[in-house]
Amino acid sequence: FGALPPQLAALDRRHLEIHDLAVTALLEGDRELAVQALMLDPLTSAVCPPADIRAMFDEMTVAERDDLPSFLQP
């Protein structure tokens, strides 16, 4: 459908960069990078302070421990 207007491309670029960080974190098993990607999400960061985001991530890794073993805290 062609090139996006600059304002939409900028919006998409940020969104895709956050997803790229999350995928990189998964592939590398990098827990801290995954937390940082979550902290960069505009909806999450709009309603949660960093400590709550980190706690939410910790809860998620426990709930999904079978699929995300590299993210469990030692």
Side-chain angles (χ1 to χ4, degrees), residues 22-35 57-58 60-62 64-74:
V23 169
T24 300
L26 284 168
L27 292 174
E28 296 179 3
D30 188 331
R31 176 186 175 80
E32 190 58 29
L33 186 58
V35 171
F57 182 83
D58 291 342
M60 186 268 310
T61 57
V62 171
E64 301 296 332
R65 66 183 160 271
D66 293 341
D67 295 318
L68 301 172
S70 63
F71 289 159
L72 290 172
Q73 289 185 331

Side-chain angles (χ1 to χ4, degrees), residues 5-73:
Q7 65 274 25
L8 292 178
L11 199 83
D12 287 345
R13 194 174 305 112
R14 177 182 167 134
H15 184 73
L16 292 172
E17 287 295 330
I18 293 167
H19 285 277
D20 187 55
L21 285 175
V23 169
T24 300
L26 284 168
L27 292 174
E28 296 179 3
D30 188 331
R31 176 186 175 80
E32 190 58 29
L33 186 58
V35 171
Q36 291 170 7
L38 191 56
M39 287 182 180
L40 287 171
D41 179 79
L43 295 176
T44 305
S45 62
V47 296
C48 298
D52 289 352
I53 293 171
R54 192 172 291 280
M56 181 174 58
F57 182 83
D58 291 342
E59 289 177 27
M60 186 268 310
T61 57
V62 171
E64 301 296 332
R65 66 183 160 271
D66 293 341
D67 295 318
L68 301 172
S70 63
F71 289 159
L72 290 172
Q73 289 185 331

